[in-house]
């Protein structure tokens, strides 16, 4: 990959700022359609959230926000779920398309309950998912135990969401970027974008390595999106939440599904190498220098829940816990579209589950940048919807 060559001079059709999964996917889909593309990241590619996430491919309404924000919120969030569903369809053919095994396995997601009261909430959630054609279904106690022999005897039932799964986040972004290079894109790590200024019909990007000109610009800067919004004069209230994920030693094949728990924060699955990945959005903490580090209280609670759901985890050695900064939006819907006062400049961030969403986010951003009309209705994701709250 031409990551450290200097940027070829001249004007690009599309400049993509941010080399996480979203930006790499955007560069790929735009270059594949014949556009002259440059992808810029201030660091190496895939070193922020896209290289630190847990690799879950989500396709259900997350149970915790459903409980806390309620059914009305969940209904308003369905367009964002539909985006995940569309992205999950793209994941199916992605390894073949990019020529790399992305370790995509979609055996479904299991949300398990250990109290009968939890089942009524799950049932309401399943009905909403089914309302947009996702074939989630309730599982009896026996059905859960047949699918998940590792589950605690206390599990009384749950949900199966058949479209969910997992993939390898370490290879996904870079594989999109390499495929973009094969289609002629220039990909540059270590180049920070400091300003984006209108110039004629396009933009000049002031970077740490000189100016880059492009007719269209896609900003996919993840955690830096709020700051980019400020610079561009639009309120993009993207929140930052440092969370942690743990990995165990390798064990024999045990868990096929992506597992969640209705009584607390948990995601739990087995990678293709046999390690167990345990997370669920547990917060990290800051050290005395202000750096994000592992929070032992979160780790204890996360593991306590994992063992409660799957007692076998209690006998497995933990190898490592790492921290990454994830991003949210106030309504948990993505920000995806053109900034009206900056024609030809598009922004894209999918909160909390942006790894799952990255293929379709990237394809949609590429379509927008190339002047095509995406199949998705983007109105619920309008970047200007927070303007009045500024
Ligand atoms: C611990 C953790 C676990 C998670 N687990 C899951 C999961 O299991 N499943 C799931 O779907 N999602 C998960 N997520 C969320 C997911 O990782 C993110 O939503 C997704 O990776 C965001 O991708 P992105 O490309 O939009 O942003 P990022 O990956 O943050 O990429 C943004 C890039 O922009 C670059 N950048 C910023 N400013 C500039 C600038 N000025 N100039 C040039 N480049 C710039 C950064 O260097 C960075 O590389 C998790 C997140 C975390 C932190």
């Amino acid at each position: 990959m031409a990551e450290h060559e200097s940027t070829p001079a001249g004007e690009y059709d599309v400049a993509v700022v941010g080399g996480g999964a979203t930006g790499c996917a955007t560069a790929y889909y735009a270059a594949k359609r014949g556009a002259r593309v440059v992808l810029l990241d201030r660091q190496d590619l895939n070193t922020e959230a896209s290289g630190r996430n847990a690799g879950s491919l989500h396709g259900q309404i997350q149970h915790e926000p459903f409980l806390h924000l309620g059914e009305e919120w969940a209904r308003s969030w369905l367009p964002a779920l539909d985006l995940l569903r569309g992205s999950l369809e793209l994941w199916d053919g992605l390894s073949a398309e990019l020529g790399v095994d992305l370790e995509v396995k979609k055996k479904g997601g299991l949300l398990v309950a250990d109290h009968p009261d939890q089942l009524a909430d799950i049932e309401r959630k399943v009905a909403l998912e089914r309302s947009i054609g996702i074939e989630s279904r309730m599982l009896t106690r026996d059905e859960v135990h047949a699918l998940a022999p590792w589950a605690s005897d206390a599990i009384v039932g749950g949900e199966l969401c058949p479209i969910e799964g997992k993939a390898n986040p370490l290879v996904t972004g870079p594989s999109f970027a390499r495929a973009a290079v094969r289609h002629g894109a220039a990909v540059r790590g270590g180049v920070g974008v400091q300003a984006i200024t209108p110039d004629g019909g396009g933009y000049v990007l002031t970077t740490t390595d000189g100016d880059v000109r492009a007719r269209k610009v896609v900003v996919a800067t993840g955690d830096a999106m709020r700051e980019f919004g400020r610079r561009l004069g639009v309120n993009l209230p993207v929140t930052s939440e440092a969370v942690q994920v743990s990995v165990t030693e390798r064990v024999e094949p045990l868990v096929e599904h992506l597992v969640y728990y209705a009584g607390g924060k948990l995601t739990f699955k087995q990678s293709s190498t046999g390690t167990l990945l345990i997370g669920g959005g547990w917060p990290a903490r800051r050290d005395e220098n202000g750096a994000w580090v592992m929070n032992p209280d979160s780790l204890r609670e996360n593991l306590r829940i994992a063992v409660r759901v799957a007692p076998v985890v209690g006998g497995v050695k933990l190898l490592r816990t790492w921290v990454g900064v994830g991003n949210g939006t106030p309504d948990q819907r993505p920000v995806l579209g053109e900034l009206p006062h900056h024609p030809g400049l598009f922004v894209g961030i999918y909160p909390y589950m942006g790894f799952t969403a990255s293929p379709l986010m990237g394809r949609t951003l590429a379509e927008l940048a190339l002047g095509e009309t995406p199949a998705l209705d983007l109105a619920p994701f309008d970047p200007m919807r927070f303007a009045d709250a500024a």
Side-chain angles (χ1 to χ4, degrees):
M1 195 185 309
E3 265 185 58
H4 296 288
E5 291 167 12
S6 66
T7 309
E11 184 169 294
Y12 292 94
D13 297 319
V14 184
V16 181
V17 187
T22 310
C24 291
T26 306
Y28 165 69
Y29 287 111
K32 185 184 163 199
R33 283 165 157 78
R36 202 158 174 255
V37 175
V38 62
L39 170 63
L40 305 168
D41 197 291
R42 62 184 172 185
Q43 305 169 155
D44 285 336
L45 302 180
N46 215 47
T47 43
E48 294 288 341
S50 297
R52 294 167 186 240
N53 67 68
S56 304
L57 297 181
H58 300 285
Q60 64 176 281
I61 301 167
Q62 297 300 292
H63 197 59
E64 200 189 10
F66 180 72
L67 290 182
H68 294 129
L69 301 176
E71 206 161 320
E72 201 175 318
W73 164 79
R75 216 174 284 284
S76 73
W77 191 75
L78 289 176
L81 179 61
D82 204 35
L83 192 159
L84 289 183
R85 191 250 308 263
S87 203
L88 284 162
E89 284 170 15
L90 287 182
W91 276 101
D92 284 339
L94 212 49
S95 295
E97 180 166 351
L98 301 182
V100 178
D101 181 6
L102 305 177
E103 298 168 28
V104 180
K105 297 258 166 19
K106 285 167 58 180
K107 295 281 186 183
L110 266 186
L111 168 63
V112 297
D114 61 359
H115 195 285
D117 286 355
Q118 295 162 349
L119 295 174
D121 292 322
I122 298 177
E123 207 160 350
R124 288 188 298 123
K125 194 175 83 67
V126 164
L128 281 176
E129 289 158 7
R130 293 183 71 88
S131 75
I132 63 161
I134 293 174
E135 293 185 351
S136 301
R137 64 183 175 91
M138 295 299 291
L139 297 175
T140 63
R141 182 182 197 287
D142 287 352
E143 285 172 328
V144 172
H145 288 275
L147 287 173
W150 45 263
S152 150
D153 287 345
I155 300 301
V156 293
E159 167 185 358
L160 178 68
C161 176
I163 61 177
E164 296 193 308
K166 61 194 174 188
N168 187 336
L170 297 177
V171 293
T172 299
S175 300
F176 269 124
R178 277 190 203 95
V181 169
R182 288 199 293 277
H183 286 284
V187 175
R188 307 254 354 257
V191 179
V193 174
Q194 298 161 318
I196 304 174
T197 315
D199 176 61
Y203 289 91
V204 176
L205 286 71
T206 309
T207 82
T208 51
D209 190 36
D211 288 353
V212 173
R213 278 167 208 284
R215 293 196 301 119
K216 303 287 170 66
V217 179
V218 172
V219 176
T221 49
D223 196 42
M225 189 64 92
R226 188 186 186 104
E227 169 61 17
F228 267 83
R230 201 186 53 72
R231 286 188 216 164
L232 294 165
V234 53
N235 181 36
L236 299 177
V238 170
T239 56
S240 302
E241 291 159 30
V243 292
Q244 54 194 47
V245 182
S246 298
V247 61
T248 71
E249 64 181 330
R250 295 173 188 204
V251 294
E252 291 298 308
L254 175 72
V255 186
E256 283 201 310
H257 300 89
L258 165 61
V259 180
Y260 312 88
Y261 170 51
K265 287 176 191 287
L266 178 71
T267 59
F268 165 52
K269 61 189 168 294
Q270 189 162 27
S271 74
S272 57
T273 60
T275 59
L276 301 178
L277 290 158
I278 302 172
W282 284 92
R285 68 173 177 88
R286 287 199 191 268
D287 69 9
E288 58 282 6
N289 302 315
W292 288 114
V293 291
M294 188 269 282
N295 178 339
D297 296 335
S298 286
L299 177 61
R300 255 192 305 276
E301 195 55 15
N302 195 181
L303 296 181
R304 189 186 66 74
I305 290 181
V307 173
R308 177 175 177 147
V309 167
V312 61
V313 173
V316 180
K317 276 198 203 102
L318 192 74
L319 289 187
R320 191 163 74 90
T321 300
W322 70 89
V323 173
V325 176
N327 299 109
T329 58
D331 54 15
Q332 304 206 12
R333 296 201 298 267
V335 168
L336 174 58
E338 188 172 25
L339 298 185
H341 54 302
H342 286 90
L345 196 156
F346 306 89
V347 292
I349 184 166
Y350 192 104
Y352 304 112
M353 293 175 280
F355 176 63
T356 308
S358 57
L360 189 53
M361 287 289 289
R363 197 180 76 180
T364 305
L365 287 162
E367 286 167 351
L368 288 170
L370 299 187
E372 297 169 16
T373 306
L376 276 180
D377 172 15
L378 299 184
F381 314 141
D382 184 356
M384 299 308 289
R385 69 187 185 276
F386 307 110
D388 293 341

